[in-house]
Amino acid sequence: MKKNEIIIYTDGSSLGNPGPGGWGAVVVDGMKVIELGGRENDSTNNRMEMTGAIEALRLVQKRKLEGKKILIHTDSGYVLNGITMWIYGWVKNNWKTKAGEDVLNKDLWEDLFKVEFDLKNKYEIEWVKVSGHAGVHLNERCDEIATGFSAQTHPILFTGSLKDYERLFSVSLDDHKEKKSGIKKDVKNGSKKKAFSYVSMVSGKVFVDNTWGDCEKRVKGKSGAKYKKVFSKQEEQELIGLWSLNLLF
């Protein structure tokens, strides 16, 4: 890790989407590591992804961490595209979509926009897209924290030295970024492969079901409904973000 860089990883989880939600974040400030996490009884995956980013940036703001640059990593295309592209149009249109409706998750987008704007007075901020479940320890750890809180298993959060953190998890964070050459991609997403979940959109709302039977009940006979089988959490999140665009613009 480079000197004067603050490294942040964030993630979110929701059981049912909507349902019990959890978020997680890891902040690496020089030689210190701080883990964060929390829970909401009723939330969505996107809201938890956003909350993780907001709370991590608020920690930097509150503690006035030393450094010149913040690198914040997320596996959520919804968060990344929202904060780096869509948000400028929303602010210009007074937080309205092109259809004149309130932006979905407006309250959290306002919070994220404000904390990032305030931090830009001191830090350079770079948002980085990371592949979920690609063997990147900090991303995997955030997922573990987020899913733990959503499932109420109450994961223990670490705060301490980088050296102790690396010893605890038997990892080295000198190169925390994902190594593309080491990622194994399954190019055979055939119909016979077991589904991770089923994503559907009914009456302008996105849902996630664990079984085809539940998904079929949700979409059967509903005009304009659509659904798709996905094979990983990352694919599920990306599809949710993509279909949510229909609500945002």
Side-chain angles (χ1 to χ4, degrees):
M1 296 186 179
K2 296 180 180 179
K3 188 177 181 180
N4 294 324
E5 281 188 349
I6 299 168
I7 306 299
I8 297 174
Y9 277 76
T10 71
D11 201 6
S13 173
S14 176
L15 300 179
N17 201 38
W23 60 270
V26 180
V27 180
V28 184
D29 173 31
M31 299 304 293
K32 188 173 183 179
V33 179
I34 304 170
E35 293 186 340
L36 307 170
R39 184 180 190 277
E40 289 186 4
N41 290 330
D42 186 23
S43 191
T44 66
N45 185 77
N46 283 339
R47 288 187 66 84
M48 291 294 90
E49 293 276 6
M50 295 173 69
T51 300
I54 291 167
E55 294 301 327
L57 291 175
R58 281 177 174 168
L59 177 78
V60 175
Q61 186 179 49
K62 181 179 180 180
R63 299 201 177 189
K64 299 179 181 179
L65 299 184
E66 295 297 325
K68 294 182 179 180
K69 184 174 183 178
I70 299 171
L71 284 168
I72 180 164
H73 301 72
T74 176
D75 59 16
S76 169
Y78 175 72
V79 172
L80 185 74
N81 291 328
I83 193 61
T84 61
M85 294 187 295
W86 306 334
I87 203 162
Y88 301 104
W90 295 336
V91 172
K92 183 178 179 181
N93 295 327
N94 195 27
W95 299 100
K96 298 289 184 179
T97 66
K98 290 183 178 180
E101 300 175 349
D102 284 340
V103 169
L104 191 66
N105 300 319
K106 173 187 172 184
D107 57 330
L108 294 182
W109 283 119
E110 288 179 319
D111 289 345
L112 184 55
F113 180 74
K114 185 179 186 304
V115 69
E116 189 205 37
F117 181 83
D118 291 343
L119 286 171
K120 281 182 176 178
N121 291 322
K122 180 179 179 181
Y123 307 93
E124 176 188 352
I125 300 178
E126 180 180 346
W127 290 83
V128 182
K129 180 69 164 63
V130 61
S131 299
H133 304 287
V136 181
H137 171 75
L138 293 178
N139 176 258
E140 300 284 357
R141 178 57 181 162
C142 286
D143 176 74
E144 181 181 346
I145 294 170
T147 55
F149 273 103
S150 64
Q152 288 189 290
T153 59
H154 306 293
I156 298 174
L157 302 177
F158 177 94
T159 295
S161 72
L162 175 62
K163 185 176 181 179
D164 287 343
Y165 188 80
E166 291 179 324
R167 184 184 298 114
L168 176 65
F169 290 100
S170 300
V171 295
S172 173
L173 301 185
D174 286 338
D175 185 6
H176 61 91
K177 299 178 181 179
E178 104 188 43
K179 296 178 177 64
K180 293 183 179 179
S181 60
I183 300 175
K184 295 181 180 179
K185 294 185 177 180
D186 184 357
V187 295
K188 297 181 179 179
N189 270 351
S191 59
K192 293 184 179 180
K193 184 177 178 180
K194 183 178 179 180
F196 178 80
S197 66
Y198 297 83
V199 182
S200 61
M201 178 179 280
V202 182
S203 300
K205 294 183 179 181
V206 180
F207 301 90
V208 176
D209 291 297
N210 294 324
T211 68
W212 164 241
D214 289 339
C215 180
E216 184 179 26
K217 291 177 183 178
R218 191 183 299 280
V219 302
K220 191 172 182 179
K222 300 295 178 62
S223 177
K226 59 182 179 179
Y227 61 90
K228 185 176 180 180
K229 180 196 304 185
V230 295
F231 301 93
S232 67
K233 180 181 178 182
Q234 180 187 351
E235 188 179 354
E236 176 187 278
Q237 292 175 342
E238 290 178 350
L239 184 59
I240 291 170
L242 179 62
W243 283 3
S244 294
L245 286 174
N246 293 329
L247 306 176
L248 297 170
F249 294 103

PDB file of all heavy atoms in Angstrom, residues 72-92:
ATOM      1  N   ILE A  72     -11.672   4.037  -2.540  1.00  0.00           N
ATOM      2  CA  ILE A  72     -12.814   3.324  -1.991  1.00  0.00           C
ATOM      3  C   ILE A  72     -13.309   2.295  -2.995  1.00  0.00           C
ATOM      4  O   ILE A  72     -13.650   2.619  -4.126  1.00  0.00           O
ATOM      5  CB  ILE A  72     -13.936   4.295  -1.561  1.00  0.00           C
ATOM      6  CG1 ILE A  72     -15.127   3.536  -0.976  1.00  0.00           C
ATOM      7  CG2 ILE A  72     -14.345   5.238  -2.672  1.00  0.00           C
ATOM      8  CD1 ILE A  72     -16.088   4.410  -0.190  1.00  0.00           C
ATOM      9  N   HIS A  73     -13.303   1.039  -2.573  1.00  0.00           N
ATOM     10  CA  HIS A  73     -13.607  -0.090  -3.447  1.00  0.00           C
ATOM     11  C   HIS A  73     -15.006  -0.630  -3.159  1.00  0.00           C
ATOM     12  O   HIS A  73     -15.400  -0.791  -2.006  1.00  0.00           O
ATOM     13  CB  HIS A  73     -12.593  -1.219  -3.235  1.00  0.00           C
ATOM     14  CG  HIS A  73     -11.172  -0.822  -3.500  1.00  0.00           C
ATOM     15  ND1 HIS A  73     -10.460   0.003  -2.650  1.00  0.00           N
ATOM     16  CD2 HIS A  73     -10.340  -1.142  -4.519  1.00  0.00           C
ATOM     17  CE1 HIS A  73      -9.228   0.177  -3.132  1.00  0.00           C
ATOM     18  NE2 HIS A  73      -9.143  -0.508  -4.255  1.00  0.00           N
ATOM     19  N   THR A  74     -15.735  -0.940  -4.222  1.00  0.00           N
ATOM     20  CA  THR A  74     -17.066  -1.521  -4.097  1.00  0.00           C
ATOM     21  C   THR A  74     -17.290  -2.512  -5.223  1.00  0.00           C
ATOM     22  O   THR A  74     -16.769  -2.343  -6.322  1.00  0.00           O
ATOM     23  CB  THR A  74     -18.160  -0.426  -4.143  1.00  0.00           C
ATOM     24  OG1 THR A  74     -19.448  -1.052  -4.108  1.00  0.00           O
ATOM     25  CG2 THR A  74     -18.059   0.416  -5.401  1.00  0.00           C
ATOM     26  N   ASP A  75     -18.057  -3.564  -4.945  1.00  0.00           N
ATOM     27  CA  ASP A  75     -18.409  -4.499  -6.018  1.00  0.00           C
ATOM     28  C   ASP A  75     -19.809  -4.193  -6.550  1.00  0.00           C
ATOM     29  O   ASP A  75     -20.375  -4.965  -7.323  1.00  0.00           O
ATOM     30  CB  ASP A  75     -18.307  -5.958  -5.560  1.00  0.00           C
ATOM     31  CG  ASP A  75     -19.212  -6.290  -4.371  1.00  0.00           C
ATOM     32  OD1 ASP A  75     -20.138  -5.502  -4.081  1.00  0.00           O
ATOM     33  OD2 ASP A  75     -18.992  -7.337  -3.727  1.00  0.00           O
ATOM     34  N   SER A  76     -20.362  -3.051  -6.141  1.00  0.00           N
ATOM     35  CA  SER A  76     -21.696  -2.644  -6.566  1.00  0.00           C
ATOM     36  C   SER A  76     -21.629  -1.644  -7.722  1.00  0.00           C
ATOM     37  O   SER A  76     -21.201  -0.501  -7.549  1.00  0.00           O
ATOM     38  CB  SER A  76     -22.447  -2.004  -5.393  1.00  0.00           C
ATOM     39  OG  SER A  76     -23.634  -1.370  -5.837  1.00  0.00           O
ATOM     40  N   GLY A  77     -22.096  -2.079  -8.901  1.00  0.00           N
ATOM     41  CA  GLY A  77     -22.167  -1.164 -10.031  1.00  0.00           C
ATOM     42  C   GLY A  77     -23.155  -0.042  -9.768  1.00  0.00           C
ATOM     43  O   GLY A  77     -22.983   1.083 -10.252  1.00  0.00           O
ATOM     44  N   TYR A  78     -24.190  -0.331  -8.990  1.00  0.00           N
ATOM     45  CA  TYR A  78     -25.200   0.675  -8.636  1.00  0.00           C
ATOM     46  C   TYR A  78     -24.557   1.832  -7.874  1.00  0.00           C
ATOM     47  O   TYR A  78     -24.776   3.005  -8.195  1.00  0.00           O
ATOM     48  CB  TYR A  78     -26.274   0.004  -7.789  1.00  0.00           C
ATOM     49  CG  TYR A  78     -27.337   0.923  -7.233  1.00  0.00           C
ATOM     50  CD1 TYR A  78     -28.306   1.490  -8.053  1.00  0.00           C
ATOM     51  CD2 TYR A  78     -27.389   1.203  -5.864  1.00  0.00           C
ATOM     52  CE1 TYR A  78     -29.302   2.317  -7.533  1.00  0.00           C
ATOM     53  CE2 TYR A  78     -28.369   2.023  -5.337  1.00  0.00           C
ATOM     54  CZ  TYR A  78     -29.321   2.584  -6.178  1.00  0.00           C
ATOM     55  OH  TYR A  78     -30.294   3.406  -5.660  1.00  0.00           O
ATOM     56  N   VAL A  79     -23.750   1.521  -6.870  1.00  0.00           N
ATOM     57  CA  VAL A  79     -23.085   2.569  -6.081  1.00  0.00           C
ATOM     58  C   VAL A  79     -22.057   3.304  -6.917  1.00  0.00           C
ATOM     59  O   VAL A  79     -22.010   4.540  -6.928  1.00  0.00           O
ATOM     60  CB  VAL A  79     -22.420   1.961  -4.826  1.00  0.00           C
ATOM     61  CG1 VAL A  79     -21.569   3.017  -4.112  1.00  0.00           C
ATOM     62  CG2 VAL A  79     -23.471   1.409  -3.876  1.00  0.00           C
ATOM     63  N   LEU A  80     -21.228   2.557  -7.631  1.00  0.00           N
ATOM     64  CA  LEU A  80     -20.155   3.172  -8.407  1.00  0.00           C
ATOM     65  C   LEU A  80     -20.694   4.099  -9.486  1.00  0.00           C
ATOM     66  O   LEU A  80     -20.253   5.256  -9.610  1.00  0.00           O
ATOM     67  CB  LEU A  80     -19.289   2.088  -9.044  1.00  0.00           C
ATOM     68  CG  LEU A  80     -18.060   2.595  -9.790  1.00  0.00           C
ATOM     69  CD1 LEU A  80     -16.997   3.063  -8.802  1.00  0.00           C
ATOM     70  CD2 LEU A  80     -17.478   1.518 -10.688  1.00  0.00           C
ATOM     71  N   ASN A  81     -21.642   3.632 -10.279  1.00  0.00           N
ATOM     72  CA  ASN A  81     -22.204   4.463 -11.343  1.00  0.00           C
ATOM     73  C   ASN A  81     -22.988   5.639 -10.773  1.00  0.00           C
ATOM     74  O   ASN A  81     -22.958   6.747 -11.307  1.00  0.00           O
ATOM     75  CB  ASN A  81     -23.100   3.632 -12.256  1.00  0.00           C
ATOM     76  CG  ASN A  81     -22.328   2.627 -13.076  1.00  0.00           C
ATOM     77  OD1 ASN A  81     -21.188   2.866 -13.445  1.00  0.00           O
ATOM     78  ND2 ASN A  81     -22.939   1.498 -13.364  1.00  0.00           N
ATOM     79  N   GLY A  82     -23.679   5.381  -9.661  1.00  0.00           N
ATOM     80  CA  GLY A  82     -24.471   6.443  -9.060  1.00  0.00           C
ATOM     81  C   GLY A  82     -23.637   7.604  -8.587  1.00  0.00           C
ATOM     82  O   GLY A  82     -23.935   8.765  -8.881  1.00  0.00           O
ATOM     83  N   ILE A  83     -22.553   7.324  -7.859  1.00  0.00           N
ATOM     84  CA  ILE A  83     -21.758   8.392  -7.255  1.00  0.00           C
ATOM     85  C   ILE A  83     -20.804   9.036  -8.256  1.00  0.00           C
ATOM     86  O   ILE A  83     -20.409  10.197  -8.090  1.00  0.00           O
ATOM     87  CB  ILE A  83     -20.970   7.873  -6.032  1.00  0.00           C
ATOM     88  CG1 ILE A  83     -20.393   9.039  -5.219  1.00  0.00           C
ATOM     89  CG2 ILE A  83     -19.881   6.897  -6.453  1.00  0.00           C
ATOM     90  CD1 ILE A  83     -21.412   9.996  -4.654  1.00  0.00           C
ATOM     91  N   THR A  84     -20.428   8.334  -9.321  1.00  0.00           N
ATOM     92  CA  THR A  84     -19.474   8.909 -10.278  1.00  0.00           C
ATOM     93  C   THR A  84     -20.131   9.495 -11.520  1.00  0.00           C
ATOM     94  O   THR A  84     -19.514  10.297 -12.220  1.00  0.00           O
ATOM     95  CB  THR A  84     -18.455   7.848 -10.733  1.00  0.00           C
ATOM     96  OG1 THR A  84     -19.130   6.764 -11.381  1.00  0.00           O
ATOM     97  CG2 THR A  84     -17.640   7.330  -9.556  1.00  0.00           C
ATOM     98  N   MET A  85     -21.394   9.126 -11.803  1.00  0.00           N
ATOM     99  CA  MET A  85     -22.038   9.615 -13.027  1.00  0.00           C
ATOM    100  C   MET A  85     -23.449  10.156 -12.797  1.00  0.00           C
ATOM    101  O   MET A  85     -23.722  11.330 -13.018  1.00  0.00           O
ATOM    102  CB  MET A  85     -22.086   8.489 -14.071  1.00  0.00           C
ATOM    103  CG  MET A  85     -20.723   8.051 -14.578  1.00  0.00           C
ATOM    104  SD  MET A  85     -20.826   6.866 -15.961  1.00  0.00           S
ATOM    105  CE  MET A  85     -21.602   5.452 -15.148  1.00  0.00           C
ATOM    106  N   TRP A  86     -24.347   9.307 -12.333  1.00  0.00           N
ATOM    107  CA  TRP A  86     -25.763   9.675 -12.286  1.00  0.00           C
ATOM    108  C   TRP A  86     -26.050  10.832 -11.343  1.00  0.00           C
ATOM    109  O   TRP A  86     -26.943  11.629 -11.586  1.00  0.00           O
ATOM    110  CB  TRP A  86     -26.604   8.468 -11.858  1.00  0.00           C
ATOM    111  CG  TRP A  86     -26.405   7.246 -12.671  1.00  0.00           C
ATOM    112  CD1 TRP A  86     -25.984   7.166 -13.976  1.00  0.00           C
ATOM    113  CD2 TRP A  86     -26.622   5.894 -12.252  1.00  0.00           C
ATOM    114  NE1 TRP A  86     -25.932   5.862 -14.383  1.00  0.00           N
ATOM    115  CE2 TRP A  86     -26.313   5.061 -13.348  1.00  0.00           C
ATOM    116  CE3 TRP A  86     -27.048   5.312 -11.055  1.00  0.00           C
ATOM    117  CZ2 TRP A  86     -26.432   3.669 -13.271  1.00  0.00           C
ATOM    118  CZ3 TRP A  86     -27.158   3.940 -10.980  1.00  0.00           C
ATOM    119  CH2 TRP A  86     -26.850   3.129 -12.082  1.00  0.00           C
ATOM    120  N   ILE A  87     -25.285  10.918 -10.261  1.00  0.00           N
ATOM    121  CA  ILE A  87     -25.622  11.847  -9.190  1.00  0.00           C
ATOM    122  C   ILE A  87     -25.598  13.305  -9.616  1.00  0.00           C
ATOM    123  O   ILE A  87     -26.353  14.137  -9.100  1.00  0.00           O
ATOM    124  CB  ILE A  87     -24.697  11.615  -7.968  1.00  0.00           C
ATOM    125  CG1 ILE A  87     -25.380  12.132  -6.700  1.00  0.00           C
ATOM    126  CG2 ILE A  87     -23.322  12.248  -8.189  1.00  0.00           C
ATOM    127  CD1 ILE A  87     -24.786  11.581  -5.428  1.00  0.00           C
ATOM    128  N   TYR A  88     -24.761  13.638 -10.600  1.00  0.00           N
ATOM    129  CA  TYR A  88     -24.666  15.029 -11.028  1.00  0.00           C
ATOM    130  C   TYR A  88     -25.954  15.479 -11.709  1.00  0.00           C
ATOM    131  O   TYR A  88     -26.399  16.621 -11.530  1.00  0.00           O
ATOM    132  CB  TYR A  88     -23.459  15.203 -11.940  1.00  0.00           C
ATOM    133  CG  TYR A  88     -22.172  14.806 -11.256  1.00  0.00           C
ATOM    134  CD1 TYR A  88     -21.531  13.600 -11.554  1.00  0.00           C
ATOM    135  CD2 TYR A  88     -21.611  15.614 -10.282  1.00  0.00           C
ATOM    136  CE1 TYR A  88     -20.374  13.222 -10.904  1.00  0.00           C
ATOM    137  CE2 TYR A  88     -20.450  15.243  -9.622  1.00  0.00           C
ATOM    138  CZ  TYR A  88     -19.839  14.046  -9.937  1.00  0.00           C
ATOM    139  OH  TYR A  88     -18.693  13.671  -9.275  1.00  0.00           O
ATOM    140  N   GLY A  89     -26.572  14.596 -12.474  1.00  0.00           N
ATOM    141  CA  GLY A  89     -27.851  14.910 -13.089  1.00  0.00           C
ATOM    142  C   GLY A  89     -28.952  15.003 -12.049  1.00  0.00           C
ATOM    143  O   GLY A  89     -29.839  15.869 -12.142  1.00  0.00           O
ATOM    144  N   TRP A  90     -28.898  14.136 -11.028  1.00  0.00           N
ATOM    145  CA  TRP A  90     -29.907  14.172  -9.975  1.00  0.00           C
ATOM    146  C   TRP A  90     -29.851  15.480  -9.200  1.00  0.00           C
ATOM    147  O   TRP A  90     -30.888  16.070  -8.903  1.00  0.00           O
ATOM    148  CB  TRP A  90     -29.703  13.006  -9.014  1.00  0.00           C
ATOM    149  CG  TRP A  90     -29.921  11.659  -9.617  1.00  0.00           C
ATOM    150  CD1 TRP A  90     -30.677  11.352 -10.712  1.00  0.00           C
ATOM    151  CD2 TRP A  90     -29.368  10.423  -9.153  1.00  0.00           C
ATOM    152  NE1 TRP A  90     -30.634  10.012 -10.955  1.00  0.00           N
ATOM    153  CE2 TRP A  90     -29.848   9.408 -10.022  1.00  0.00           C
ATOM    154  CE3 TRP A  90     -28.534  10.062  -8.096  1.00  0.00           C
ATOM    155  CZ2 TRP A  90     -29.506   8.068  -9.851  1.00  0.00           C
ATOM    156  CZ3 TRP A  90     -28.195   8.745  -7.922  1.00  0.00           C
ATOM    157  CH2 TRP A  90     -28.673   7.748  -8.790  1.00  0.00           C
ATOM    158  N   VAL A  91     -28.636  15.909  -8.861  1.00  0.00           N
ATOM    159  CA  VAL A  91     -28.487  17.162  -8.118  1.00  0.00           C
ATOM    160  C   VAL A  91     -29.006  18.332  -8.950  1.00  0.00           C
ATOM    161  O   VAL A  91     -29.719  19.207  -8.454  1.00  0.00           O
ATOM    162  CB  VAL A  91     -27.011  17.389  -7.726  1.00  0.00           C
ATOM    163  CG1 VAL A  91     -26.820  18.788  -7.130  1.00  0.00           C
ATOM    164  CG2 VAL A  91     -26.562  16.324  -6.729  1.00  0.00           C
ATOM    165  N   LYS A  92     -28.648  18.334 -10.225  1.00  0.00           N
ATOM    166  CA  LYS A  92     -29.087  19.409 -11.127  1.00  0.00           C
ATOM    167  C   LYS A  92     -30.608  19.446 -11.230  1.00  0.00           C
ATOM    168  O   LYS A  92     -31.211  20.531 -11.339  1.00  0.00           O
ATOM    169  CB  LYS A  92     -28.469  19.196 -12.510  1.00  0.00           C
ATOM    170  CG  LYS A  92     -28.797  20.288 -13.510  1.00  0.00           C
ATOM    171  CD  LYS A  92     -28.117  20.023 -14.843  1.00  0.00           C
ATOM    172  CE  LYS A  92     -28.469  21.096 -15.862  1.00  0.00           C
ATOM    173  NZ  LYS A  92     -27.812  20.830 -17.177  1.00  0.00           N
TER     174      LYS A  92
END
